[in-house]
Amino acid sequence: MPRDPHPLYSAARAKYEKMVAEVPSKKADFQYIGKSMPRYDALPKATGEAKFTRDAQLPGMLYAKFLTSPYAHAKIKSIDTSKAEALPGVKAVLTYLSEEKIPGIPIPVKDIKTPTGDYTVGGLPFIPQEANWEGEFVGAVVCAESPEICDEALKLIDVQWEELPFATNVEDAMKDPTRKKLETGWKRNLIVSDFPNYKEDETYDVDKGLKEADVIVEGSCRLHQFFHAGSEPDSALAKWEGDELTVWIRSVTQHIARGSAALGSSLGIPGSKINMVYLYQGGSFGQNQLLSAQAARLLIASILFAKKTGKPVKAIMSRRDYYYGGEAEGVYNFKIGVKNDGTITAVKGEFLIGQGAPGGYGSLWALADHVANWVRYDLKCPYESHYLSYETNTVPKWWTRSEQNQNARFLQAVIDRAADALGMDPAEVYLKNARMPEPSAKAVIEEGKKRIGWDTKWHKPGTKILPNGKYHGIGFYFGHSWGNYASTYINAALRVAQDGTVTIIGAKPDSGVSAQTTYAQIIADEMGVRFEDIYFSPTSETKYGYALQEDGGAASNHGNSWAMAKLGITARKKVLELAAPKLGVKPEDLDMKDSVIFVKADPSKKIMLKDLGTTFTVEASVGGYGWSEENVYGIFTPFHCYQAIFAEVEVDPDTGQVDVINMVSVYDIGRVLRRASAEGQVYGQACMAVWRAVLQSDLIHDPLTGVRLNADLLNTQVSTCLDCENVDNVALMEVGHADGAYGNTGVGEMNIAQVCALISAVHNAIGKWVDPPITPDRVLKALGKA
Amino acid sequence: MRSFIHINAKTVDEAVSLLTQYGKKARVIAGGTDLLGTMKDEIHPTYPEVIINLKTIEPSLEYIKEEGGVLKIGALTKLYDIEASSLVKEKYPALAQAAHAVGSPHIREMGTIGGNLCQEVRCWYYRQPGNRFYCVRKGGPVCYAMSGDNRYHSIFGGPFGCYAAHPSDTAPALMALNATLVTNKRTIPIDKFFHDLAGTVLEDNELLTEVQVPTPPAGAKQTYIKFRIRKSIDFPIVGVASMIKLEAGTVSDARIALGAVAPKPIRATAAEEKLKGKTISEQVADEVAAEAVKGAIAMSQNKYKIQITKTLVKRAILA
């Protein structure tokens, strides 16, 4: 029996439908939407002309650098900076003991805390006395004429350390009863009554489900801690003019509309006097939320020193400093009940998470909510989870690409292990047990199967040896984005100039695959202007008050599509009103295409937009729209991006090497806005997955000291194009209807489905379960050869 | 990066005289792909005061030629030029394969054969920035890899307690090819060139100027096989080079060299002896491969390197 929709759902649904009425949704005949117009950032990035925050230079600029902890956990007993201060070229040194108040900043230096915001633990000391991971900024920060002098000065600081016990992984953390942890869990799973409305399943009974099973599968698997190694290490440049502060910052690519206020609050200065400038930005894969503790420290240092010295100051991280953040470590224990026909009757899960040190994503609770929460939507059977998250003495964690990677990995293990226990095709077991929305799920799975030849290629694990002596394996995973929601109030503007050019105005960091170009394509279609007459700068600043949606990463796609649609439609209406008297007709008699306004009944009567000789600006605001408005955890999000991944590998049984020979990624994203951008996101996910799955991608710590051993680009083996030759079989489908203005949804915030498909494929090859990264040592160990 | 004095040497004599003058305070630079990284990370307790540039030496040390049945390669010859040389590809394919296996195209267009032989070992303790681990190789008390994370370390630890891995691809190939190395002072057989702790036997004022490779004997087959995790660009987990001479179907001579399994490239002499006089078969290759790793001792995390070494030796024999 269908149940009554949740009242929140009804309210959100009504609002959504009102918006749909305002904007023509999913029109078929667009000139630009769905195409791949040239990226605004292509030439600047290809030629090196693009200036990143790291490149920013101002006359008389000074530099700042932090002392970093050589220990995984240590407290400073005493500090002497006199030698550093005496070094020629050093302008100032601040320490955790500094009681001074910098002019204009009402809080003593030692009491300044990092800003608090969505997804970011704030309130940590700007200059801590105690370091919780090797490499954490601690004790002191210096300002000097050059980065080299900063380095020399840091070496001259005399520190007496008290080393403290540490744990860099979950197992070690669990041995320490005093370690901070969070314990929670879920006792009910959710079911869909009338999709997309979820209800708690009142017939839930895990123990009964386990009793009904023919086979009980118990096991354990893991996901390793991983850092994305983005291209641009953090830096921040600050300049004061009177009490107006301008900061050039690399670190914030999401929540930018809130950055100034949050930063102002932490310093006791009005956010209205802070302008944040975003130049070109290196990839951060969802990590750069409001401000991490490390990035905040960098930013605050540049601000304080700039005020103190009266000069612009750039605070910088080294490449090694930049190895913070990334994916948390997860160990998952599971008990699965399954019937002989492949029906899973119940699942019990235990999540053990190594959360890293404070200063990353939200809190232990926030991650727990995300991690243990979501599997319950995906399984039809009763599901129960127990969750333990530990603080560990390693880098603070966020996630990479999606916060749902832990769930995705767990779910893959459940399906794959159940299938394995019965000798069944995992795709079949998946279809039988997962709660999947139609028609998207079947569409992407069918397309993927066809593309890879699943029905003829799948075999029982460990049974196919190729003529080259290697094991053949093929794997599958179905995934989806999780809870794309839009909670930011989007406020954007469009300026039409008398020369007929159009400028999109709205702070938008350089994240995604040139989203600016995507948005310009929408304006071109909705307004009826030539694409080449539109510009949306890849760089921006916040002082004009306009800012686009950035929350939730990929949510920006559908959130901003509404704003762009509204801008285009409003501007077009205005243009037609201005042109009507000139052409002697009513506005409704006019149309505009390719920047030419013409009379619909007689297209020979026309006027060029530029010949109107007018200048005006229109605005569009979109806020809290859509079905997910009232619940940021996306319970009402009607449509995600759905993905089916199929992967083939060859495993050399004598060296343990895994070659990825084929990968098919099929995504239903409702509507493609800019094809190359969407395909680029998927291809990027596939390339990163090769790295995460089969290359050295674990962040490795020395067991005796907790020092990060591979915090560099050589020893974290980022996959290059040559390592990903066969993973570009990407299909974008437009089957479902998402909640963007054109039925679109984002494609960037996808979980580790490709990694999961590779884990599955390796198992299919050798008949053994190997946790990622599936490096030769692990494969050979699984095969009993090492 | 800290500042240093940079001097362009115009001749080998001048470079040597500068080395004599500055001693351990000086380092020579050719491609710089290894040296600059070590300086940027300040991995050593001391920092070089003087960098002597060898690229300005005239006549240039960048050449490939054959004289009197000997292949002569100037120490400053770029790895890319070696892999692309038709002479090397035709008569010394193991060397061409090894040069091609180094780094990436960009690195091979900068890095030189001399630098590839004289580069420092790979060990993430030894190379940790800021001299974080003052290990036995630097004069310290212990090898941190022994009780640490040693997944990439040696399975043939050195006699001085260092378990770093020597990463050169060209060294095992040149060892299999029985090369000799010419310095401003002497000619050194490649088997005697490397040192477990010091890297090479070069003295402070000694400069590698030329690599000489004799013409492989008729009927000899040669190969270099590199195993690495990331195939596009990486140092070897294991590298195996071989030159096997066959007469009437029987192995009359064999040279097998192993890279990245010890703090210096090494010969698998017992395996070579076992192979001599045999007819090559899968079973013989298996036995010889097992012999090649007989003395290997795994640490806590690198046992898999023994299996890979065995596999590569077998494949080199059967190649």
Side-chain angles (χ1 to χ4, degrees), chain A residues 614-737:
Chain A
T614 184
T615 298
F616 66 86
T617 300
V618 295
E619 291 185 24
S621 296
V622 181
Y625 76 91
W627 298 346
S628 55
E629 177 197 17
E630 313 297 347
N631 189 321
V632 296
Y633 296 112
I635 284 177
F636 303 113
T637 301
F639 183 86
H640 305 293
C641 168
Y642 297 102
Q643 48 178 181
I645 312 297
F646 294 84
E648 267 184 286
V649 297
E650 289 183 7
V651 182
D652 186 333
D654 295 318
T655 64
Q657 189 140 50
V658 178
D659 292 328
V660 180
I661 57 164
N662 194 4
M663 191 189 284
V664 172
S665 304
V666 187
Y667 285 49
D668 181 10
I669 58 172
R671 179 89 193 206
V672 179
L673 296 184
R674 184 172 181 277
R675 183 162 294 278
S677 293
E679 287 179 348
Q681 286 279 12
V682 180
Y683 185 52
Q685 287 159 26
C687 288
M688 187 180 265
V690 170
W691 171 28
R692 285 183 87 159
V694 305
L695 301 177
Q696 180 50 264
S697 50
D698 213 345
L699 187 58
I700 298 166
H701 299 84
D702 175 46
L704 292 187
T705 62
V707 169
R708 293 161 302 155
L709 292 174
N710 63 338
D712 60 75
L713 286 171
L714 178 69
N715 290 301
T716 45
Q717 299 174 325
V718 184
S719 46
T720 74
C721 294
L722 292 173
D723 302 298
C724 307
E725 285 175 291
N726 309 310
V727 302
D728 57 350
N729 191 336
V730 172
L732 299 176
M733 301 184 82
E734 298 179 328
V735 176
H737 186 107

Side-chain angles (χ1 to χ4, degrees), chain A residues 35-158:
Chain A
K35 307 282 184 345
S36 304
M37 301 308 290
R39 286 171 62 159
Y40 292 125
D41 60 345
L43 205 58
K45 281 181 179 164
T47 58
E49 277 177 18
K51 289 277 178 288
F52 291 73
T53 312
R54 196 82 179 183
D55 302 320
Q57 295 278 337
L58 291 173
M61 189 173 84
L62 302 173
Y63 293 85
K65 279 193 169 189
F66 267 91
L67 191 67
T68 56
S69 172
Y71 303 107
H73 190 193
K75 196 171 175 179
I76 296 178
K77 288 197 287 189
S78 68
I79 191 164
D80 180 355
T81 59
S82 53
K83 282 186 208 153
E85 284 166 58
L87 184 73
V90 171
K91 298 295 179 186
V93 180
L94 296 173
T95 74
Y96 68 96
L97 297 169
S98 299
E99 298 202 2
E100 70 172 294
K101 281 186 189 170
I102 306 290
I105 311 286
I107 307 169
V109 168
K110 71 179 180 56
D111 295 330
I112 293 175
K113 303 280 193 280
T114 60
T116 300
D118 290 5
Y119 307 109
T120 304
V121 169
L124 298 173
F126 156 52
I127 308 177
Q129 183 182 1
E130 184 176 325
N132 287 296
W133 51 282
E134 182 273 320
E136 182 167 17
F137 292 158
V138 65
V141 56
V142 301
C143 175
E145 287 168 359
S146 72
E148 290 78 14
I149 297 173
C150 288
D151 288 336
E152 291 310 305
L154 290 172
K155 283 180 202 149
L156 295 172
I157 296 176
D158 187 13

Side-chain angles (χ1 to χ4, degrees), chain A residues 70-71 148 152 155 320 652 654-655 657 659 694-696 700 702-705 707-710 713-715 717-718 720 722-723 775-777 780 785-786, chain B residues 1-3 42 105 122 124-125 128-129 132-133 144 147-149 151-152 227-235 301 303-305 307-308 311-312 314-315:
Chain A
Y71 303 107
E148 290 78 14
E152 291 310 305
K155 283 180 202 149
R320 184 177 162 76
D652 186 333
D654 295 318
T655 64
Q657 189 140 50
D659 292 328
V694 305
L695 301 177
Q696 180 50 264
I700 298 166
D702 175 46
L704 292 187
T705 62
V707 169
R708 293 161 302 155
L709 292 174
N710 63 338
L713 286 171
L714 178 69
N715 290 301
Q717 299 174 325
V718 184
T720 74
L722 292 173
D723 302 298
T775 43
D777 50 337
L780 289 173
K785 294 183 178 179
Chain B
M1 191 183 227
R2 286 160 70 180
S3 55
E42 297 187 31
R122 285 282 146 186
W124 49 26
Y125 292 95
Q128 202 56 224
R132 177 66 178 77
F133 296 98
Y144 290 88
S147 51
D149 193 305
R151 69 186 75 187
Y152 297 130
F227 183 86
R228 51 187 158 179
I229 298 177
R230 179 173 58 177
K231 289 180 185 171
S232 61
I233 168 172
D234 223 339
F235 289 102
Q301 286 171 283
K303 193 176 171 198
Y304 74 103
K305 286 185 71 163
Q307 166 65 25
I308 293 173
T311 301
L312 263 54
K314 178 181 172 182
R315 288 177 184 175

